[in-house]
Amino acid sequence: MKKWIALALALVLVLCLAACGESAEPDPNAGLYEAESAQMYGLSIQISDVFEDGFSLELKNGGKAVFHYEGKDYNLKWTLDGDVFHAEGGGAALDGTLSEGVMLLENVLDSGMEITLVCKELAPKS
């Protein structure tokens, strides 16, 4: 009898843990945002002139992100309040706006530069 009770409790525990592991709805803003343009002091700058290895930010579900900068990847946490975007981690903080697959980061890495990133899967087709 004790074995059956122990087996039943173990089964209930496994089912409870499986239920806790279910993921929430996917975030509608999740995706790969790649830098398309930059401005500094009112002048347009080529992304490749400033970031030889590219500049991108992959937003993932659960407030996680991967920031690709100078050939390295950095893990960040991100939040969105309305259209106000904030991400930080690894000594970096990124602030700006995010709407309909287009992100505008302001004063990127305290450089005074504004960078526009686009998620091709989410941005309206022009």
Side-chain angles (χ1 to χ4, degrees), residues 3 10 12 19 42 53 57 62 70 78 89-91 96 107 123:
K3 288 183 183 179
V12 168
D53 291 321
L57 187 58
E70 292 186 341
W78 68 278
N107 194 23

Side-chain angles (χ1 to χ4, degrees), residues 49-113:
D49 289 344
V50 181
F51 304 105
E52 196 172 291
D53 291 321
F55 185 102
S56 65
L57 187 58
E58 183 179 4
L59 301 185
K60 298 182 178 193
N61 291 321
K64 297 178 181 178
V66 177
F67 175 40
H68 178 76
Y69 168 68
E70 292 186 341
K72 296 180 184 173
D73 290 335
Y74 302 91
N75 292 320
L76 304 176
K77 297 281 186 178
W78 68 278
T79 58
L80 188 63
D81 184 10
D83 67 347
V84 177
F85 176 83
H86 175 76
E88 64 181 67
L94 302 170
D95 292 293
T97 59
L98 172 59
S99 179
E100 297 182 1
V102 179
M103 181 184 302
L104 175 63
L105 296 178
E106 302 162 349
N107 194 23
V108 174
L109 304 173
D110 293 326
S111 66
M113 188 180 329

